[in-house]
Amino acid sequence: MKVWTIASKEFLGYFRTYTAYVVIAVYLLLSFGATFYAAYFFEYSNRNLISFFLYQPIILNLVLPALTMKMWAEEKKQGTLEFLLTQPIGYGELVFGKFLAAILFCLLLIVLMVPFIAYLSTLIELDALNIISSLIAEFLIMMMFCALGCLISALNSHTILAYLSTLFCGWFVESVNFNFLVKPVWLFFPTLGEDLKGILNFSTHYQPLLQGQMSIGSIGYFLFLSYGLLWLNKIIIQYNKK
Amino acid sequence: MITIKNLTKQYGNIKALDNIHLSFEKGEIVFLVGPNGAGKSTLMKLMTGFIRPTQGEVLINGKNIQSDRSGLSYLGYVPENSPLYPEMTVYEYLKFIAGLWKQKKEEFIDNLGFVLENLQLREVLNQKIETLSKGFKRRVGVAGALIHRPEILILDEPTEGLDPNQKYHIHQFIKEYGQEHLIIVSTHIMEEVEAVAKRVVLIHKGHLLWNGSPQDLQQVSSEGSLDKAFRLLTGGKQ
């Protein structure tokens, strides 16, 4: 109930401040631009809409921080955080309520793509299961980026700084090869090291989902990361008291 | 209702509050006074659990506000400058807060009527907060703290920047609501204290200098003036 109160306030806030319209417009523009120009949509068979999903992590990393940058930073700037934290609502409820608002908005972005996919299905034969797998992958990375954005907003008092920091951290998670973290294990236990290779890497989990290879490991990677980031967010809000 | 024990707040080497002991009961209208930077707002933030004390504790109806957030359910608090969400209308704002207090529709309508009537906000109910005058914004802040009709109302400089008419209305409201509830108000305007307070707590440089009735405080000055008493006490003499 309280979670829903926070979520609806935040969700409607996107529309009250016109953030929603800008985010939707930029997301659609970048998505279609990337699909048709950068990913050569007409040159591939695209039964799994790979041209569309290929650039989604980069586009979402650009767009979603605009939703999350204000979450906590604006509350601190306006002074409303003091009011909010003296209301009878748990820290976890507050964090989850804000995250839920961002996730609901992400669902709206996915819904906006449905007419495009439906239209394509009349032109080419689509691999429905593969597309569902890709949409789940997209939703999972949306969760991860939103959780990351919320956390970074809690660490900042300036919204622009929160946006840029989220952008950088998102890029870091997406692009960096984290194999160096499991390298010590590989030195002592080569077999185990070989199994762990790539386990921390974003692409290791995102790419199979795009190809329709859903696995508990890949889904768990994104869920675990999102949960961990939200937990950190809660700790920061709770212990941010001077 | 509120018991403050051995409360100390330190920022680095600066002691914002030093070993404060106080208790407040129902039906009191307490004015926290002191020069700017005396520690009034710090004391309010500690009473509402927004910041942690370096030492000591604040109990609200026996519950330690730092370890048991259910103590917050007795409180209505308006921080300094009445922070609000400018993009919301007054109605949306009050409904949002009522949602945090899990109020049912009938209860919300009843409480909404109460705050609109007492704070004269009916005419701006559907107006965006960002378009309101300072006076209305202050009153919306108070309305937000009052929407659940708390037993304890804590107001940090609620009349700052208001015109005399608006101040009068706030004073009248405090007097009325304070008959059956505990109200704690911070200010550095002594005319307000004279007009409304039942009890004065004077803080200076983090120390408690006075805790008693405004009439007794007046007697500190040979001319029987609160202003003079304030200057006398905060000017170095204790």
Side-chain angles (χ1 to χ4, degrees), chain A residues 2-230:
Chain A
K2 287 178 184 178
V3 167
W4 184 247
T5 303
I6 294 288
S8 59
K9 177 238 160 202
E10 293 291 334
F11 184 79
L12 294 173
Y14 296 142
F15 292 89
R16 288 185 187 122
T17 56
Y18 306 106
T19 307
Y21 306 106
V22 176
V23 167
I24 289 171
V26 172
Y27 173 73
L28 293 180
L29 202 70
L30 289 177
S31 291
F32 289 127
T35 304
F36 293 109
Y37 296 101
Y40 306 106
F41 181 81
F42 298 107
E43 291 178 27
Y44 297 103
S45 76
N46 262 304
R47 288 188 67 227
N48 57 1
L49 291 182
I50 189 70
S51 296
F52 172 75
F53 289 107
L54 194 62
Y55 286 99
Q56 283 298 301
I58 296 167
I59 294 166
L60 292 172
N61 189 28
L62 277 170
V63 167
L64 295 185
L67 287 181
T68 54
M69 65 182 183
K70 282 185 175 181
M71 289 279 184
W72 298 106
E74 191 81 348
E75 301 270 14
K76 284 185 200 171
K77 200 174 144 195
Q78 286 178 168
T80 43
L81 187 64
E82 186 173 350
F83 177 77
L84 209 55
L85 292 184
T86 51
Q87 299 300 299
I89 179 166
Y91 300 110
E93 288 176 302
L94 264 174
V95 169
F96 188 66
K98 283 175 177 279
F99 172 71
L100 185 62
I103 282 303
L104 288 174
F105 194 86
C106 289
L107 278 176
L108 177 68
L109 292 180
I110 290 177
V111 168
L112 287 173
M113 298 316 302
V114 170
F116 168 66
I117 297 170
Y119 176 68
L120 284 179
S121 69
T122 63
L123 302 177
I124 51 177
E125 195 183 332
L126 297 177
D127 182 345
L129 285 177
N130 199 334
I131 289 171
I132 288 169
S133 171
S134 301
L135 284 172
I136 290 171
E138 177 156 356
F139 184 65
L140 288 170
I141 61 169
M142 281 171 160
M143 278 176 73
M144 189 197 73
F145 282 133
C146 286
L148 180 68
C150 288
L151 170 67
I152 289 172
S153 182
L155 292 166
N156 282 287
S157 305
H158 300 282
T159 49
I160 298 298
L161 204 58
Y163 177 86
L164 292 173
S165 311
T166 311
L167 197 69
F168 173 76
C169 293
W171 166 82
F172 189 81
V173 172
E174 255 181 69
S175 321
V176 172
N177 186 340
F178 291 101
N179 275 345
F180 67 93
L181 291 175
V182 290
K183 210 170 180 182
V185 181
W186 193 76
L187 285 174
F188 296 104
F189 309 99
T191 324
L192 181 64
E194 198 61 40
D195 291 342
L196 292 176
K197 203 174 167 186
I199 199 166
L200 297 174
N201 292 350
F202 177 90
S203 57
T204 308
H205 301 285
Y206 184 63
Q207 294 300 336
L209 287 171
L210 285 193
Q211 286 152 16
Q213 296 164 8
M214 279 177 73
S215 70
I216 292 171
S218 295
I219 294 171
Y221 170 83
F222 291 110
L223 289 179
F224 181 75
L225 214 53
S226 305
Y227 177 80
L229 292 165
L230 289 175

Side-chain angles (χ1 to χ4, degrees), chain A residues 1-2 5-6 9-10 13 16-18 75 78-91 94 98 238-242, chain B residues 9 11 45 48-52 66 69 72-73 77 79 83-88 92-93 96-97 99-103 128 144-145:
Chain A
M1 172 78 175
K2 287 178 184 178
T5 303
I6 294 288
K9 177 238 160 202
E10 293 291 334
R16 288 185 187 122
T17 56
Y18 306 106
E75 301 270 14
Q78 286 178 168
T80 43
L81 187 64
E82 186 173 350
F83 177 77
L84 209 55
L85 292 184
T86 51
Q87 299 300 299
I89 179 166
Y91 300 110
L94 264 174
K98 283 175 177 279
Q238 195 169 346
Y239 292 97
N240 206 13
K241 292 178 176 183
K242 288 170 195 164
Chain B
K9 180 66 191 174
Y11 294 108
K45 286 180 206 289
T48 56
F50 181 63
I51 56 173
R52 282 179 217 283
Q66 286 299 329
R69 278 174 69 79
L72 290 171
S73 60
Y77 173 48
L84 301 162
Y85 297 103
E87 72 279 4
M88 285 179 159
E92 286 165 349
Y93 177 68
F96 164 61
I97 296 164
L100 294 179
W101 288 92
K102 286 181 165 180
Q103 288 183 10
K128 273 198 173 185

Side-chain angles (χ1 to χ4, degrees), chain B residues 2-177:
Chain B
I2 297 185
T3 310
I4 296 167
K5 289 180 188 170
N6 187 28
L7 198 66
T8 299
K9 180 66 191 174
Q10 201 156 347
Y11 294 108
N13 293 326
I14 300 159
K15 265 191 179 170
L17 283 176
D18 192 8
N19 200 24
I20 303 284
H21 292 268
L22 280 168
S23 68
F24 305 117
E25 292 303 326
K26 189 178 176 181
E28 285 193 297
I29 300 175
V30 183
F31 269 64
L32 287 182
V33 295
N36 288 329
K40 303 186 295 289
S41 294
T42 303
L43 181 55
M44 290 194 149
K45 286 180 206 289
L46 286 164
M47 280 195 279
T48 56
F50 181 63
I51 56 173
R52 282 179 217 283
T54 310
Q55 201 183 323
E57 59 183 5
V58 176
L59 305 175
I60 296 183
N61 286 339
K63 291 174 179 174
N64 186 331
I65 198 77
Q66 286 299 329
S67 54
D68 185 357
R69 278 174 69 79
S70 67
L72 290 171
S73 60
Y74 303 107
L75 286 183
Y77 173 48
V78 184
E80 202 174 356
N81 302 320
S82 296
L84 301 162
Y85 297 103
E87 72 279 4
M88 285 179 159
T89 66
V90 175
Y91 176 79
E92 286 165 349
Y93 177 68
L94 296 176
K95 195 158 187 289
F96 164 61
I97 296 164
L100 294 179
W101 288 92
K102 286 181 165 180
Q103 288 183 10
K104 293 201 168 72
K105 199 180 173 186
E106 301 77 33
E107 194 186 352
F108 170 60
I109 290 169
D110 185 37
N111 289 335
L112 183 67
F114 172 77
V115 295
L116 294 182
E117 202 57 50
N118 282 284
L119 297 164
Q120 286 112 34
L121 288 170
R122 205 171 285 278
E123 60 184 292
V124 294
L125 186 61
N126 293 311
Q127 209 170 312
K128 273 198 173 185
I129 290 170
E130 64 191 352
T131 65
L132 298 177
S133 67
K134 203 172 183 179
F136 272 120
K137 282 181 184 166
R138 294 270 179 202
R139 278 185 273 167
V140 172
V142 177
L146 264 181
I147 199 74
H148 61 287
R149 303 208 202 178
E151 288 179 33
I152 302 163
L153 187 60
I154 298 179
L155 309 170
D156 197 348
E157 302 193 2
T159 56
E160 185 81 13
L162 300 191
D163 69 36
N165 288 335
Q166 292 166 334
K167 277 185 187 173
Y168 175 77
H169 286 305
I170 294 276
H171 291 164
Q172 287 306 109
F173 172 73
I174 290 174
K175 277 183 189 174
E176 207 170 301
Y177 198 73

